Amino acid sequence: MASVTGEDSKKLKLYSYWRSSCSCRVRIALKLKGLDYEYIAVNLLKGDQKSPEFLKLNPLGYVPVLVDGDIVVADSFAILLYLEEKYPQHPLLPKELQKRALNYQAANLVSSNIQPLQNLPVLGYIQEKLGADEKVVWAQTNIRKGFAALEKLLENYAGKYATGNEVFLADLFLAPQIDGGVRRFNVDMNEFPLLSRIYKAYKELPAFEDAMPERQPDAPPEARA
């Protein structure tokens, strides 16, 4: 693992991998809330997440992990809720209960029913058992299924963004998931006009664009091009 910024022990520390959509959710939140943090790169391809040092932070061996002083929080959903409670500036959750529930539902649809089916261990297993072509088909099939569900879930609520005209929790899950679907798995977004529209809106927001994979310090040169 490589630290890429200062050594201020009081600063928030985010253990992240450049292409991790789960890490991207947290990076967006930190940007929106104006929180300075130290980026600590965890190279998943080299197995940094399996090191004894990292497993002390998250026994599951997944990124992201946030360290805030003596507090260690793993899992993007848990991290986002922690940040929301401790750092209330730029709220990630709306006050209206129905809209708040909608944000939980959309975020959970991504985090439980799309992203886990396209993560590195799953894709590696499918490639080993069925071949590289089937790996892509698997990812595309599950992403399209999830995107179709999101289109129906949000059709009566979406504004400029997922649940209205303000950025909330659901957007932090949707932006990296759509970006990954397009860039990594070549999902045809013409099937999903609502998601395509809000994806374009995200590109106008510096907090979102600065958190994208190609802008991270551990992104390889070919990803930055």
Side-chain angles (χ1 to χ4, degrees), residues 102 105-107 109 148-157:
L102 179 65
Q105 188 174 349
L109 199 159
L150 285 164
E151 288 269 324
K152 292 180 181 178
L153 175 67
L154 301 174
E155 63 182 351
N156 294 323
Y157 302 97

Side-chain angles (χ1 to χ4, degrees), residues 5-207:
T5 62
E7 295 298 325
D8 184 358
S9 61
K10 295 182 180 180
K11 188 184 294 184
L12 291 166
K13 297 179 180 180
L14 179 66
Y15 290 78
S16 174
Y17 177 60
W18 70 280
R19 202 164 65 173
S20 162
S21 61
C22 299
S23 298
C24 187
R25 302 165 191 164
V26 178
R27 297 193 299 254
I28 295 171
L30 291 167
K31 297 284 185 182
L32 288 173
K33 289 180 175 292
L35 297 171
D36 192 21
Y37 66 97
E38 178 183 354
Y39 186 108
I40 301 176
V42 181
N43 191 322
L44 302 185
L45 298 183
K46 292 183 177 179
D48 287 354
Q49 72 277 20
K50 300 175 183 178
S51 70
E53 177 189 0
F54 186 76
L55 291 174
K56 288 180 181 178
L57 299 173
N58 183 4
L60 194 57
Y62 288 171
V63 293
V65 174
L66 183 79
V67 177
D68 186 5
D70 295 330
I71 298 175
V72 178
V73 189
D75 182 85
S76 64
F77 220 131
I79 293 171
L80 292 172
L81 294 181
Y82 170 81
L83 290 173
E84 182 70 352
E85 292 193 28
K86 184 168 181 181
Y87 304 100
Q89 64 268 31
H90 195 114
L92 301 178
L93 291 169
K95 293 181 179 180
E96 183 186 343
L97 186 59
Q98 181 185 14
K99 186 174 286 189
R100 183 176 290 222
L102 179 65
N103 272 270
Y104 287 140
Q105 188 174 349
N108 193 62
L109 199 159
V110 172
S111 66
S112 297
N113 299 291
I114 303 178
Q115 190 278 330
L117 299 174
Q118 57 158 72
N119 66 13
L120 283 175
V122 171
L123 294 182
Y125 181 83
I126 292 174
Q127 180 169 329
E128 178 186 345
K129 298 297 182 181
L130 300 174
D133 291 342
E134 288 302 315
K135 174 183 72 173
V136 176
V137 172
W138 166 271
Q140 289 176 337
T141 299
N142 286 287
I143 292 170
R144 286 204 305 268
K145 180 180 178 182
F147 282 4
L150 285 164
E151 288 269 324
K152 292 180 181 178
L153 175 67
L154 301 174
E155 63 182 351
N156 294 323
Y157 302 97
K160 186 172 184 179
Y161 307 113
T163 61
N165 293 320
E166 295 180 79
V167 167
F168 286 121
L169 184 73
D171 300 295
L172 277 61
F173 284 76
L174 286 171
Q177 181 59 63
I178 298 171
D179 187 75
V182 171
R183 292 175 183 265
R184 292 182 62 191
F185 301 110
N186 297 313
V187 172
D188 182 1
M189 292 303 294
N190 289 322
E191 301 177 45
F192 311 108
L194 187 153
L195 296 183
S196 295
R197 175 171 56 78
I198 62 175
Y199 181 48
K200 291 179 182 178
Y202 296 147
K203 289 183 171 294
E204 300 174 359
L205 302 175

